[in-house]
Amino acid sequence: MPRPGPRSGRAGAWAELLRLPALFTVPGDALAGAAAAGARPGPRTLLAIGSSLCLYEAGMALNDWADRAEDAVERPHRPIPSGRIRPAAALAAACGLTGAGLALAAAAGRPALAVAAPLAGSVWAYDLVLKHTPAGPAAMAAARGLDLLLGAAATSGGARAALPSAALLGSHTLAVTAVSRKETTGGSVLAPLAALATTGVLTRLVGHRRTRLPAGRWAAAAPGLSGSHPAEGTPGARWDVLATALGAAYAATAARPYVHATLNPSPPLTQRAVGGGIRATVPLQAALAARSGAPATSLLIAALAPAGRMFARRAAMRKVSIT
């Protein structure tokens, strides 16, 4: 058995298993979903965030339980193969967190539960069946898109208006997950190159405000309806500037490690590309909220990025993986 490392304490082992620094990428899903639905975040949005956090952590625990034999060979330092956490405990945590996530979604209302149920199903399907199949990245992308729709459904009672934002976030997740499939072996040029191209397309798309805002509090302040460009100095123009700036932050976070992994697809650089893609999720969520005409929400989401980095440094857990 490998000798325990510096994070051998029980709390440290669970923090490592659950990828706690990655939790800061989760609340932005629900907040961006609420923004896309044209609704102010409220108590039901908080319930959706709680549900998202539980289901995300369930996926992390289940991931390591399902991969315990593989990790014993490729990642023996992880909590389960190193003996710091028993497999049964990780599986029990996954079950309990899934139940808690569904309960919180139910408390947010039937529309939220109607989204949370397939979200939980996609998490379990990915970890137990689909992860090592060609459908794996698509399943992960669907889960992230559903997480955004969960915030919309909980906040406004409907998720249709948030479908475009969910598709954009899902596309980013698809690209990152495709790169992550080679993070232990390296050797893939196509995956980081495709992720780089995806980043460029998404940066272009999130920099332009939606031409049709959902009915609600933003409708009266939307002079750019029917595809017209907002006049300089109007709220729409300011939102465009904010969305463009956040889109640039997204590109800056994701693109450079993708370029490095494309030029040298070694395991360390591929792992850095995955980490950069995960960190880029937050500015992308913020850009989506700004694109939907919710500047305050977008700035709140953007603030999660430095908070996550600070937490990771203090917890000595700067390296985060989704696999």
Side-chain angles (χ1 to χ4, degrees):
M1 181 182 302
R3 185 174 299 176
R7 296 190 299 273
S8 58
R10 184 176 180 84
W14 279 101
E16 186 178 343
L17 178 82
L18 298 176
R19 321 290 206 278
L20 289 189
L23 277 182
F24 289 86
T25 71
V26 178
D29 289 347
L31 292 171
R40 292 182 183 274
R44 292 182 184 273
T45 313
L46 292 178
L47 289 171
I49 292 174
S51 176
S52 296
L53 292 170
C54 288
L55 294 177
Y56 187 90
E57 292 291 50
M60 294 295 100
L62 186 64
N63 174 83
D64 279 22
W65 178 84
D67 287 352
R68 61 193 185 280
E70 176 185 329
D71 286 347
V73 177
E74 296 184 352
R75 309 173 185 92
H77 60 279
R78 284 190 169 180
I80 293 179
S82 67
R84 289 176 287 149
I85 292 179
R86 293 181 295 108
L91 181 60
C95 294
L97 287 165
T98 299
L102 292 174
L104 288 169
R110 288 186 178 179
L113 181 60
V115 177
L119 171 56
S122 66
V123 169
W124 280 73
Y126 173 81
D127 284 332
L128 298 182
V129 180
L130 301 175
K131 179 178 178 180
H132 298 294
T133 72
M140 181 69 84
R144 200 88 205 201
L146 285 169
D147 202 31
L148 187 146
L149 296 179
L150 175 59
T155 308
S156 69
R160 181 174 297 181
L163 286 173
S165 291
L168 295 177
L169 182 61
S171 297
H172 166 72
T173 305
L174 179 69
V176 178
T177 307
V179 176
S180 74
R181 291 163 74 89
K182 294 289 186 178
E183 66 176 349
T184 59
T185 61
S188 174
V189 173
L190 182 60
L193 184 61
L196 182 63
T198 300
T199 300
V201 172
L202 292 178
T203 301
R204 172 73 175 174
L205 292 175
V206 299
H208 291 77
R209 188 166 54 93
R210 292 168 57 181
T211 56
R212 184 184 65 81
L213 295 176
R217 64 187 180 95
W218 300 113
L225 291 177
S226 302
S228 62
H229 296 285
E232 184 177 356
T234 64
R238 292 195 294 270
W239 299 338
D240 281 348
V241 172
L242 180 59
T244 300
L246 290 168
Y250 159 68
T253 304
R256 184 175 179 181
Y258 287 156
V259 170
H260 290 167
T262 300
L263 297 175
N264 178 12
S266 63
L269 290 182
T270 301
Q271 291 164 15
R272 290 181 187 178
V274 174
I278 294 173
R279 290 189 296 273
T281 301
V282 175
L284 176 59
Q285 294 162 337
L288 290 172
R291 175 177 178 266
S292 298
T297 299
S298 71
L299 293 175
L300 175 62
I301 296 172
L304 293 172
R309 288 194 297 270
M310 183 180 300
F311 178 86
R313 285 196 299 268
R314 290 184 176 181
M317 294 176 61
R318 299 183 65 177
K319 188 175 178 180
V320 177
S321 174
I322 58 176
T323 62

